[in-house]
Every structure is written in C-alpha cells, then in structure tokens.
Amino acid sequence: MGILVILLLIIFVLSGCSPKVIQPVSYPDRALSYPEESKPEIRILKEADQVKKREIRPEQIPYETHKEAKIEIEDIAKKEYRAKSEIRRPTDDKELSFPFQDILFDFDSYTIKPEYYAILDAISEWLKSKSEQGVIIEGHCDERGTQEYNLILGQKRAEAVKEYLVRKGVDSKRLRVISYGKERPVDPRSTEEAWAKNRRAHFRLE
C-alpha cells in the first residue's frame, strides 16, 4: 500500500512538471476578422472622401476672385493676339493700305498682266501726291527652280513694276527694288494655288 502511494505521488509530480506544448492557432478567415471601419480598402475610401470634402468648390470662391481670373484670361488672349499680329506683319514694315496690292505674275514670267494696270495707276497717283514718300518694290518667286535663277527673276519682276511707275510720272529715285527669289513665300505650301500667290511684286514703304 505504501509503495502504491509513493508511485502515485511520483507520477503526479512528473505530470505537473512536464512542459506544456502550445499549439499554433490558425485563422483561416483572418482577412474577414477586421472591424468594418478598419479594413484597408474602407479606410482608403474614407480618407479620399475626406480630402474631397476639403476641396474648394467653384460656388465657394468669392465673386471678385472669379472676376479677376476672367480679366487675367482676357489679358492673356489679347497678348497672344498681338503676338500673332506681330508675326504676320514684319516690324520693319510701315502701314500699307490701298492701293498697295501685290502684283502677281505668271510662271517664269516678269511681264505685267493687263489686269494689274489699274492698280499700278492708282499707286502712281498716290505716290505723286506724297512727294517725299519712298517705296521698296520686292520681287518674289515660287519655290521651283534654283535660288540663283529665282533671284534674277525676282529682280526682273521688281524692275518691271518700277519701270511702269516711272512711265506714269513717279520719280525713279523714290523707288528701290530688291529681290528675295523664293526665300520669302507668302504661302509655304507646295501647291499651284500657293505658287500663284508667291510669284509677286510686293510694296513696302520706306
């Protein structure tokens, strides 16, 4: 009997001192264990909504601010328009009005066509009424042909216009000719319409 009690005591002591093994706990539905408001996607959406609420809506902007912005936009538009106008009109050109229209020529020709006689007559009368005003007559060509050939052709076109005006009584000393050949096209396209515009004599006041 005593031996049995001693054995039971030994077993009890040994069982009490043995290390406990902690089994790992698995969470198969861990992604679903977040509280609703702490889920990452919910939190991001709520933060974006808060940022949106902090944005200033157009109706919250004072009227004066709207007015100043409109004026600034109008000023920018005016500056852009002036810049484009300056590009179209060279800064060294003075204002030209009727009757100073371009005299157009046929291909590879410097003969003045009869349809431009009336324009040149009006130009001559205007120049005779402005006895001190000088004029530059520019000769231009289309893009076809060499630069050297077109410089000569442009010179002949300008000279033909000058000669006509001199015959009409304009002092030759007030008329200066220059040829740009094909270097200054009024229309840079490679079409018949553009070429017809570029074969011209152009007037510029000095």
Side-chain angles (χ1 to χ4, degrees):
M1 183 65 181
I3 295 172
L4 181 59
V5 172
I6 292 170
L7 291 173
L8 290 173
L9 287 173
I10 292 171
I11 293 171
F12 177 76
V13 171
L14 292 174
S15 63
C17 297
S18 59
K20 295 181 179 180
V21 179
I22 300 175
Q23 297 294 330
V25 179
S26 61
Y27 299 93
D29 297 325
R30 185 174 182 83
L32 302 177
S33 65
Y34 286 106
E36 184 67 20
E37 64 277 3
S38 64
K39 287 183 178 181
E41 61 273 16
I42 299 298
R43 178 168 51 79
I44 292 171
L45 290 174
K46 286 188 174 182
E47 290 176 357
D49 186 59
Q50 291 176 359
V51 171
K52 186 176 181 180
K53 288 180 180 178
R54 290 199 299 270
E55 293 178 351
I56 299 176
R57 296 187 297 275
E59 61 269 18
Q60 295 175 319
I61 301 175
Y63 171 76
E64 291 299 325
T65 304
H66 277 297
K67 186 177 179 181
E68 291 174 1
K70 183 179 179 181
I71 292 173
E72 183 178 355
I73 291 172
E74 289 177 350
D75 289 341
I76 292 173
K78 289 179 181 178
K79 289 179 180 178
E80 290 179 349
Y81 176 79
R82 285 197 297 268
K84 290 179 181 178
S85 298
E86 290 174 359
I87 291 173
R88 289 195 300 268
R89 184 191 301 279
T91 55
D92 59 344
D93 278 10
K94 296 182 181 179
E95 186 68 25
L96 283 176
S97 57
F98 182 83
F100 288 94
Q101 301 179 37
D102 286 353
I103 307 300
L104 303 183
F105 294 86
D106 289 333
F107 173 69
D108 199 27
S109 172
Y110 54 92
T111 300
I112 298 174
K113 294 186 284 188
E115 62 196 83
Y116 292 105
Y117 292 168
I119 294 174
L120 290 173
D121 291 343
I123 292 174
S124 66
E125 292 301 320
W126 188 93
L127 287 172
K128 285 186 287 186
S129 68
K130 309 286 184 180
S131 59
E132 301 300 323
Q133 180 64 64
V135 171
I136 299 173
I137 306 172
E138 301 176 355
H140 297 269
C141 305
D142 62 39
E143 65 181 356
R144 294 170 292 180
T146 65
Q147 174 63 5
E148 293 76 10
Y149 180 83
N150 282 312
L151 282 172
I152 296 173
L153 181 58
Q155 183 75 17
K156 290 181 178 180
R157 286 170 176 169
E159 291 284 357
V161 171
K162 176 183 177 180
E163 182 181 350
Y164 185 100
L165 295 175
V166 170
R167 289 203 310 267
K168 290 294 180 175
V170 179
D171 187 353
S172 62
K173 295 179 181 178
R174 297 168 56 195
L175 304 174
R176 184 160 63 93
V177 299
I178 186 171
S179 174
Y180 290 106
K182 61 180 180 179
E183 292 304 310
R184 295 191 180 185
V186 70
D187 189 334
R189 297 176 300 162
S190 297
T191 64
E192 289 291 345
E193 180 184 4
W195 293 335
K197 294 178 184 177
N198 294 331
R199 298 190 299 264
R200 72 195 193 282
H202 178 73
F203 299 93
R204 187 152 50 92
L205 299 183
E206 285 196 296

